[in-house]
Amino acid sequence: MAARNGLNGQTLRKQYKNVISGYRVWDQLGHAEEYILFPENIGADLSLDETCLSNGEVYTLLTNKAAHGRKGTLVAMIRGVATDMVAVSCASCLPPSAVS
């Protein structure tokens, strides 16, 4: 795309990452390597699964079953399968009535 429009591809990539996408001001940037949360996707019927994406990296996925795999399905994605890390990560996005 960059070459077709007479742009340097590396410059376009940097501009997209640092300016256009808003990545540097993302509210979850500080903890994104360990977990990401989408509290707006929480529903009454949640599912907890583990998956191995690449190079042996295992992630725990908390999904909203009501979304049926479409937009709004992912509630949380947490690196690893340690139960305590999953609980701590998810507790911060759940309403107080659901945590107790």
Side-chain angles (χ1 to χ4, degrees), residues 11-42:
T11 302
L12 180 62
R13 183 190 64 78
K14 286 180 183 177
Q15 284 294 318
Y16 180 79
K17 181 177 179 183
N18 296 323
V19 180
I20 300 169
S21 71
Y23 173 75
R24 297 287 180 206
V25 293
W26 186 33
D27 63 342
Q28 296 193 39
L29 184 60
H31 58 77
E33 287 189 22
E34 293 302 317
Y35 65 94
I36 55 173
L37 302 170
F38 299 99
E40 65 275 10
N41 295 343
I42 293 175

Side-chain angles (χ1 to χ4, degrees), residues 30-63:
H31 58 77
E33 287 189 22
E34 293 302 317
Y35 65 94
I36 55 173
L37 302 170
F38 299 99
E40 65 275 10
N41 295 343
I42 293 175
D45 196 13
L46 300 177
S47 175
L48 191 64
D49 297 303
E50 290 87 27
T51 188
C52 184
L53 296 180
S54 65
N55 298 327
E57 294 179 337
V58 179
Y59 290 87
T60 301
L61 303 173
L62 183 64
T63 56

